[in-house]
Structure formats: C-alpha cells, structure tokens
Amino acid sequence: MESAAVVAGIKLSFPICPSLHPSLPNLSRTFNPSLSFPLKLQNQFPLTSHNVLQSASTLRPSATLSNNSSETIEVAEIDWDNLGFGLQNTDYMYIMKCTQGGTFSKGEIKRFGNIELNPAAGVLNYGQGLFEGLKAHRKQDGSILLFRPEENAERMKTGAERMCMPSPTTEQFVQAVKDTVLANKRWVPPPGKGSLYIRPLLLGSGAVLGLAPAPEYTFLIYVSPVGNYFKEGLAPINLIVENNLHRATPGGTGGVKTIGNYAAVLKAQSAAKANGYSDVLYLDCVHKRYLEEVSSCNIFVVKGNTISSPAIKGTILPGITRKSIIDVARSQGFQVEERLVSIDELLDADEVFCTGTAVVLSPVGSVTHLGQRVSYGEGGTGAVSQQLYTALTRLQMGLIEDERNWTVELK
C-alpha cells in the first residue's frame, strides 16, 4: 500500500509503513507552546499509519480540493457525503505532561495511536479527568476556521480547579489546538461536508492508590472528521423526559466537563433510544420539575419573542454554543431569559431546541413526559430555530463577516 506527496511539483509515491523506510524523518517533535505551528511538520510527508488504513476501508491515500486561487489542497479521500458522527482515525495527536504542583511547559505532535497508562492512574481509578470539544471548518478559499477556542480553554481551567488538576494556560491550549488541526489539516472536510471535531483531554495519568490527586497529568488532543451528531441532521429530534435518574446534583460536578458526567447518562439514554427517542431531557433532582439539560446539550424554550434557557447554577454545563446562541438571539431582537424553566413551560412552548458543539443547534419535534407527547410545529424546523442555526453556522463556516471576533483563521 502506498501514499503520495507532491514535492516541487513532482508526485512521489512510497510505502506508508515508516519501518520500511528508516530514512524517513521522525514525525514526533518537541516544541515550545509559545511558538506558532512552523514546526516544519507540515513539510513532512503526510503519512497515514498502516493500521488506520486497514481499519478505514473507504480511505484512500490522498485527494485534492481546488480553491478559489486555482491551487490544490490535499484532503483525505473518504466518503464526505456520508460522514456520520463517529471516530475516524487521523494522522497525529498532541501530548503534553506535567507533575502535580507543576506547570505544563512543552508538548509533542505525535502519531495518532494508543497511549500507555499505569493501572493505578488517577483517571482510571477515581475519574480524575476532563474533556473539551470544539470544531474546525474549512472555508471556500481552503483556509480553516476555529470557533472561540479560548472559551474552551477557560472552561477547562475552571473544571481543572474543581477537579484539583493543573491545566494548560489559555495560550498553550489554543496553540496546541492550532498545531493539532494543522498537522491533520487534510482531514478537515470540504466546505459544507462536515467539520473536524477536536477533542482535548486532561487526565490524571500518574499512579495513585489512595484517594488523592494524581502525581502526574497528561493534556492530549486528537481529532476526527464528523458529520451530524443526530442522524436526523437539522430535522427535529424527539426527546423523552427522565423522571427517576438524574444527570447532576447541587454541589457536584454537573457544571464542569468532567468525564463522569457523561457515563451517568448512558443508562437512560440507551433505554430512550431503544424506544425510538433521540435523547433524554433531565429535570432538577430537588423539585423534579425544572429543566436541566439533555444528555450532552443545553436546551431552549421559545414562546412568542422570548427565548428561555435554564440558568447556569452549578448543575448545568455552561455551553459555548449556548452562550453564542444567546448573544446571536439578542442581537436579532429576541428577549432571552436565563432562569428556572418549568416542565409546564416546556410543554406549552411554541418551539424547543437544543445546542451544543456536536449538535450545533437541533430543533425538538416532540417531548414525551409521563406518557404525554407534545409536538412542536408541523413536523418541520421552527422559524426561530432555523433563523438562529443559519446565523451561527454561517459565522462558523466563514460565510459572513465575523464582527464579534469569534473565529480564528488558520492558513
């Protein structure tokens, strides 16, 4: 099996397995996070590991994408039109480490692959771990846009403080995201075909037997090209309200993006999907009548010109897409309220929609509560949902001018 690269206008072919060519340069590089991406990694041949090619039957070594300047951009050749929200192994990942009480100081772009952990690692034994999620989009001119990466960095810092973990600085986090995306830029889908999902992780990787903060931490980023999170796409989804299980409790970790928050929703979510629902909507665990959030999304209720969303008070994740939609809605003349929102208001709403990095904005077609099913609209996407979705996605994809300075362009 061969891969290809173009050097000085000459197409070169070579086996993809680096072990067959020991003269090829080492693709793992140590760098100072304060430096920009010129690690000369982009000048290396963009190899894809042998096991990745074996596991992705639709993958071919390379393809080209024409841009407005009549230049070509290398992109991985996969079935972009049928890209779902699943893991597609890419070329590289980013790793940076530090000790407890220390600071992160340098990182490496490495081949994507398995990582090694001690069985006593804090993340495995006590769940000391956080993750983030953000996306990169390719513009028509071939450049790549990130959306508000500094917000993810700040949220990870807040979560790290709650979980007794050191965290990268905002500058380190953003630079690491840029470096990882550029190292994997051929995996950023063509315009309108999806996005590159970026997953930063902060793990207690050091060994610890007794309950205590781990002695070492690993910051890691990997990426995967993705399509729609829900198979329905922008089409309305169907939710069921969970009355017995709860996602978070006051004083807990519901307001930070710790890994344990998500395992807790799997039981209810699996049962919901088995019964034909798209996902689960959780209520507060005290009164059991106020909306919290969907398994991995924030929720909004529309009544007339007013859009309401549950207030962020420690049990609900402060979503970056949520925050962005609120700002966009207010700029378009909607009254937006962040407060307690009851189940009765939900059932009486004109429209309901969810927001999140993975889903962006997903309209809700129906909600089922205690056997009562309430539908919204006439089976299609509501006018408010469509308006806000269009405004936000056009900004994320670079189709309109970014007057808010929310996007970061990579060349």
PDB file of all heavy atoms in Angstrom, residues 43 56 79 130 164-165 183 208 230 242 269 284 308 328 338 340 344 357-358 397 406:
ATOM      1  N   ASN A  43       5.889  20.253   6.426  1.00  0.00           N
ATOM      2  CA  ASN A  43       6.764  19.958   5.298  1.00  0.00           C
ATOM      3  C   ASN A  43       7.103  18.470   5.207  1.00  0.00           C
ATOM      4  O   ASN A  43       7.730  18.021   4.264  1.00  0.00           O
ATOM      5  CB  ASN A  43       8.064  20.761   5.419  1.00  0.00           C
ATOM      6  CG  ASN A  43       7.804  22.248   5.294  1.00  0.00           C
ATOM      7  OD1 ASN A  43       6.892  22.651   4.586  1.00  0.00           O
ATOM      8  ND2 ASN A  43       8.575  23.056   6.004  1.00  0.00           N
ATOM      9  N   ALA A  56     -10.079   1.662   8.014  1.00  0.00           N
ATOM     10  CA  ALA A  56     -10.993   2.556   7.319  1.00  0.00           C
ATOM     11  C   ALA A  56     -11.026   2.180   5.848  1.00  0.00           C
ATOM     12  O   ALA A  56     -10.222   2.650   5.054  1.00  0.00           O
ATOM     13  CB  ALA A  56     -10.549   4.007   7.495  1.00  0.00           C
ATOM     14  N   ASP A  79     -15.606   9.175   2.036  1.00  0.00           N
ATOM     15  CA  ASP A  79     -16.959   9.481   1.556  1.00  0.00           C
ATOM     16  C   ASP A  79     -17.525  10.636   2.376  1.00  0.00           C
ATOM     17  O   ASP A  79     -18.255  10.441   3.344  1.00  0.00           O
ATOM     18  CB  ASP A  79     -17.840   8.239   1.676  1.00  0.00           C
ATOM     19  CG  ASP A  79     -19.210   8.437   1.041  1.00  0.00           C
ATOM     20  OD1 ASP A  79     -19.467   9.542   0.532  1.00  0.00           O
ATOM     21  OD2 ASP A  79     -20.013   7.487   1.064  1.00  0.00           O
ATOM     22  N   LEU A 130     -10.996  15.474  32.546  1.00  0.00           N
ATOM     23  CA  LEU A 130     -11.867  16.459  31.895  1.00  0.00           C
ATOM     24  C   LEU A 130     -11.722  16.323  30.391  1.00  0.00           C
ATOM     25  O   LEU A 130     -10.710  15.812  29.900  1.00  0.00           O
ATOM     26  CB  LEU A 130     -11.465  17.891  32.283  1.00  0.00           C
ATOM     27  CG  LEU A 130     -11.567  18.306  33.742  1.00  0.00           C
ATOM     28  CD1 LEU A 130     -10.772  19.590  33.960  1.00  0.00           C
ATOM     29  CD2 LEU A 130     -13.017  18.515  34.148  1.00  0.00           C
ATOM     30  N   CYS A 164      -9.095  19.512  41.083  1.00  0.00           N
ATOM     31  CA  CYS A 164      -7.748  19.506  41.679  1.00  0.00           C
ATOM     32  C   CYS A 164      -6.694  19.064  40.673  1.00  0.00           C
ATOM     33  O   CYS A 164      -5.842  18.196  40.950  1.00  0.00           O
ATOM     34  CB  CYS A 164      -7.700  18.601  42.909  1.00  0.00           C
ATOM     35  SG  CYS A 164      -8.738  19.165  44.266  1.00  0.00           S
ATOM     36  N   MET A 165      -6.730  19.680  39.512  1.00  0.00           N
ATOM     37  CA  MET A 165      -5.793  19.344  38.442  1.00  0.00           C
ATOM     38  C   MET A 165      -5.116  20.609  37.938  1.00  0.00           C
ATOM     39  O   MET A 165      -5.749  21.668  37.890  1.00  0.00           O
ATOM     40  CB  MET A 165      -6.536  18.679  37.276  1.00  0.00           C
ATOM     41  CG  MET A 165      -7.376  17.481  37.661  1.00  0.00           C
ATOM     42  SD  MET A 165      -8.479  16.949  36.308  1.00  0.00           S
ATOM     43  CE  MET A 165      -7.308  16.160  35.210  1.00  0.00           C
ATOM     44  N   ALA A 183      -1.627  19.924  11.751  1.00  0.00           N
ATOM     45  CA  ALA A 183      -0.976  18.642  11.484  1.00  0.00           C
ATOM     46  C   ALA A 183      -1.928  17.659  10.801  1.00  0.00           C
ATOM     47  O   ALA A 183      -1.492  16.759  10.082  1.00  0.00           O
ATOM     48  CB  ALA A 183      -0.450  18.043  12.790  1.00  0.00           C
ATOM     49  N   VAL A 208      -1.778   6.427  41.527  1.00  0.00           N
ATOM     50  CA  VAL A 208      -2.147   6.779  42.901  1.00  0.00           C
ATOM     51  C   VAL A 208      -3.094   5.703  43.427  1.00  0.00           C
ATOM     52  O   VAL A 208      -4.095   5.389  42.781  1.00  0.00           O
ATOM     53  CB  VAL A 208      -2.775   8.181  42.968  1.00  0.00           C
ATOM     54  CG1 VAL A 208      -3.957   8.320  42.027  1.00  0.00           C
ATOM     55  CG2 VAL A 208      -3.165   8.551  44.386  1.00  0.00           C
ATOM     56  N   PHE A 230     -26.830  14.027  15.436  1.00  0.00           N
ATOM     57  CA  PHE A 230     -28.056  13.247  15.329  1.00  0.00           C
ATOM     58  C   PHE A 230     -28.253  12.832  13.882  1.00  0.00           C
ATOM     59  O   PHE A 230     -28.027  13.629  12.965  1.00  0.00           O
ATOM     60  CB  PHE A 230     -29.269  14.063  15.799  1.00  0.00           C
ATOM     61  CG  PHE A 230     -29.299  14.326  17.285  1.00  0.00           C
ATOM     62  CD1 PHE A 230     -29.213  15.617  17.773  1.00  0.00           C
ATOM     63  CD2 PHE A 230     -29.402  13.278  18.185  1.00  0.00           C
ATOM     64  CE1 PHE A 230     -29.249  15.865  19.137  1.00  0.00           C
ATOM     65  CE2 PHE A 230     -29.425  13.516  19.553  1.00  0.00           C
ATOM     66  CZ  PHE A 230     -29.350  14.810  20.035  1.00  0.00           C
ATOM     67  N   GLU A 242     -36.736  12.312  31.586  1.00  0.00           N
ATOM     68  CA  GLU A 242     -36.363  11.309  32.578  1.00  0.00           C
ATOM     69  C   GLU A 242     -36.800  11.781  33.962  1.00  0.00           C
ATOM     70  O   GLU A 242     -36.479  12.903  34.375  1.00  0.00           O
ATOM     71  CB  GLU A 242     -34.850  11.084  32.549  1.00  0.00           C
ATOM     72  CG  GLU A 242     -34.324  10.158  33.614  1.00  0.00           C
ATOM     73  CD  GLU A 242     -34.953   8.771  33.543  1.00  0.00           C
ATOM     74  OE1 GLU A 242     -35.057   8.200  32.439  1.00  0.00           O
ATOM     75  OE2 GLU A 242     -35.344   8.266  34.621  1.00  0.00           O
ATOM     76  N   GLN A 269     -30.206   7.110  28.452  1.00  0.00           N
ATOM     77  CA  GLN A 269     -30.114   7.385  27.023  1.00  0.00           C
ATOM     78  C   GLN A 269     -30.277   6.111  26.202  1.00  0.00           C
ATOM     79  O   GLN A 269     -30.972   6.102  25.174  1.00  0.00           O
ATOM     80  CB  GLN A 269     -28.765   8.042  26.700  1.00  0.00           C
ATOM     81  CG  GLN A 269     -28.646   8.510  25.264  1.00  0.00           C
ATOM     82  CD  GLN A 269     -27.232   8.961  24.932  1.00  0.00           C
ATOM     83  OE1 GLN A 269     -26.291   8.177  24.994  1.00  0.00           O
ATOM     84  NE2 GLN A 269     -27.089  10.232  24.589  1.00  0.00           N
ATOM     85  N   ASP A 284     -34.340  18.806  37.310  1.00  0.00           N
ATOM     86  CA  ASP A 284     -33.546  19.022  38.522  1.00  0.00           C
ATOM     87  C   ASP A 284     -33.870  17.913  39.523  1.00  0.00           C
ATOM     88  O   ASP A 284     -34.978  17.378  39.566  1.00  0.00           O
ATOM     89  CB  ASP A 284     -33.831  20.397  39.106  1.00  0.00           C
ATOM     90  CG  ASP A 284     -35.159  20.431  39.856  1.00  0.00           C
ATOM     91  OD1 ASP A 284     -36.222  20.398  39.180  1.00  0.00           O
ATOM     92  OD2 ASP A 284     -35.142  20.479  41.097  1.00  0.00           O
ATOM     93  N   SER A 308     -36.140  31.215  26.435  1.00  0.00           N
ATOM     94  CA  SER A 308     -35.701  30.952  27.801  1.00  0.00           C
ATOM     95  C   SER A 308     -34.818  29.719  27.860  1.00  0.00           C
ATOM     96  O   SER A 308     -35.052  28.745  27.138  1.00  0.00           O
ATOM     97  CB  SER A 308     -36.917  30.747  28.717  1.00  0.00           C
ATOM     98  OG  SER A 308     -37.790  31.863  28.666  1.00  0.00           O
ATOM     99  N   VAL A 328     -26.329  35.813  19.811  1.00  0.00           N
ATOM    100  CA  VAL A 328     -26.882  35.985  18.465  1.00  0.00           C
ATOM    101  C   VAL A 328     -28.374  36.307  18.548  1.00  0.00           C
ATOM    102  O   VAL A 328     -28.868  37.199  17.844  1.00  0.00           O
ATOM    103  CB  VAL A 328     -26.645  34.720  17.615  1.00  0.00           C
ATOM    104  CG1 VAL A 328     -27.443  34.782  16.315  1.00  0.00           C
ATOM    105  CG2 VAL A 328     -25.152  34.557  17.313  1.00  0.00           C
ATOM    106  N   GLU A 338     -32.424  33.784  31.168  1.00  0.00           N
ATOM    107  CA  GLU A 338     -31.736  32.668  31.796  1.00  0.00           C
ATOM    108  C   GLU A 338     -32.282  32.552  33.218  1.00  0.00           C
ATOM    109  O   GLU A 338     -31.988  33.386  34.074  1.00  0.00           O
ATOM    110  CB  GLU A 338     -30.233  32.894  31.806  1.00  0.00           C
ATOM    111  CG  GLU A 338     -29.620  33.004  30.421  1.00  0.00           C
ATOM    112  CD  GLU A 338     -28.128  33.259  30.468  1.00  0.00           C
ATOM    113  OE1 GLU A 338     -27.381  32.309  30.786  1.00  0.00           O
ATOM    114  OE2 GLU A 338     -27.716  34.397  30.202  1.00  0.00           O
ATOM    115  N   LEU A 340     -34.989  29.687  35.979  1.00  0.00           N
ATOM    116  CA  LEU A 340     -35.639  28.400  36.137  1.00  0.00           C
ATOM    117  C   LEU A 340     -36.739  28.277  35.087  1.00  0.00           C
ATOM    118  O   LEU A 340     -37.560  29.181  34.928  1.00  0.00           O
ATOM    119  CB  LEU A 340     -36.249  28.264  37.536  1.00  0.00           C
ATOM    120  CG  LEU A 340     -35.271  28.134  38.713  1.00  0.00           C
ATOM    121  CD1 LEU A 340     -36.034  28.138  40.029  1.00  0.00           C
ATOM    122  CD2 LEU A 340     -34.425  26.866  38.590  1.00  0.00           C
ATOM    123  N   ASP A 344     -43.828  22.565  32.764  1.00  0.00           N
ATOM    124  CA  ASP A 344     -45.090  23.077  32.215  1.00  0.00           C
ATOM    125  C   ASP A 344     -44.836  24.081  31.106  1.00  0.00           C
ATOM    126  O   ASP A 344     -45.555  24.094  30.095  1.00  0.00           O
ATOM    127  CB  ASP A 344     -45.932  23.717  33.326  1.00  0.00           C
ATOM    128  CG  ASP A 344     -46.389  22.702  34.362  1.00  0.00           C
ATOM    129  OD1 ASP A 344     -46.567  21.521  33.988  1.00  0.00           O
ATOM    130  OD2 ASP A 344     -46.544  23.075  35.540  1.00  0.00           O
ATOM    131  N   THR A 357     -21.738  21.816  21.014  1.00  0.00           N
ATOM    132  CA  THR A 357     -20.694  21.796  19.989  1.00  0.00           C
ATOM    133  C   THR A 357     -20.984  20.738  18.929  1.00  0.00           C
ATOM    134  O   THR A 357     -20.887  20.984  17.733  1.00  0.00           O
ATOM    135  CB  THR A 357     -19.331  21.529  20.629  1.00  0.00           C
ATOM    136  OG1 THR A 357     -19.021  22.587  21.531  1.00  0.00           O
ATOM    137  CG2 THR A 357     -18.243  21.444  19.575  1.00  0.00           C
ATOM    138  N   ALA A 358     -21.335  19.544  19.376  1.00  0.00           N
ATOM    139  CA  ALA A 358     -21.559  18.447  18.436  1.00  0.00           C
ATOM    140  C   ALA A 358     -22.811  18.666  17.595  1.00  0.00           C
ATOM    141  O   ALA A 358     -22.798  18.482  16.380  1.00  0.00           O
ATOM    142  CB  ALA A 358     -21.647  17.127  19.183  1.00  0.00           C
ATOM    143  N   MET A 397     -18.653  28.913   9.591  1.00  0.00           N
ATOM    144  CA  MET A 397     -18.073  28.469   8.321  1.00  0.00           C
ATOM    145  C   MET A 397     -17.429  29.592   7.523  1.00  0.00           C
ATOM    146  O   MET A 397     -16.917  29.367   6.429  1.00  0.00           O
ATOM    147  CB  MET A 397     -19.163  27.807   7.469  1.00  0.00           C
ATOM    148  CG  MET A 397     -19.746  26.561   8.079  1.00  0.00           C
ATOM    149  SD  MET A 397     -21.087  25.896   7.047  1.00  0.00           S
ATOM    150  CE  MET A 397     -21.710  24.592   8.100  1.00  0.00           C
ATOM    151  N   TRP A 406     -15.087  36.014  16.884  1.00  0.00           N
ATOM    152  CA  TRP A 406     -15.257  34.692  17.495  1.00  0.00           C
ATOM    153  C   TRP A 406     -14.437  33.625  16.777  1.00  0.00           C
ATOM    154  O   TRP A 406     -14.179  32.582  17.355  1.00  0.00           O
ATOM    155  CB  TRP A 406     -16.724  34.295  17.454  1.00  0.00           C
ATOM    156  CG  TRP A 406     -17.548  34.943  18.527  1.00  0.00           C
ATOM    157  CD1 TRP A 406     -17.116  35.693  19.565  1.00  0.00           C
ATOM    158  CD2 TRP A 406     -18.977  34.863  18.665  1.00  0.00           C
ATOM    159  NE1 TRP A 406     -18.165  36.103  20.345  1.00  0.00           N
ATOM    160  CE2 TRP A 406     -19.320  35.612  19.814  1.00  0.00           C
ATOM    161  CE3 TRP A 406     -19.989  34.240  17.934  1.00  0.00           C
ATOM    162  CZ2 TRP A 406     -20.650  35.728  20.244  1.00  0.00           C
ATOM    163  CZ3 TRP A 406     -21.294  34.372  18.355  1.00  0.00           C
ATOM    164  CH2 TRP A 406     -21.628  35.098  19.506  1.00  0.00           C
TER     165      TRP A 406
END
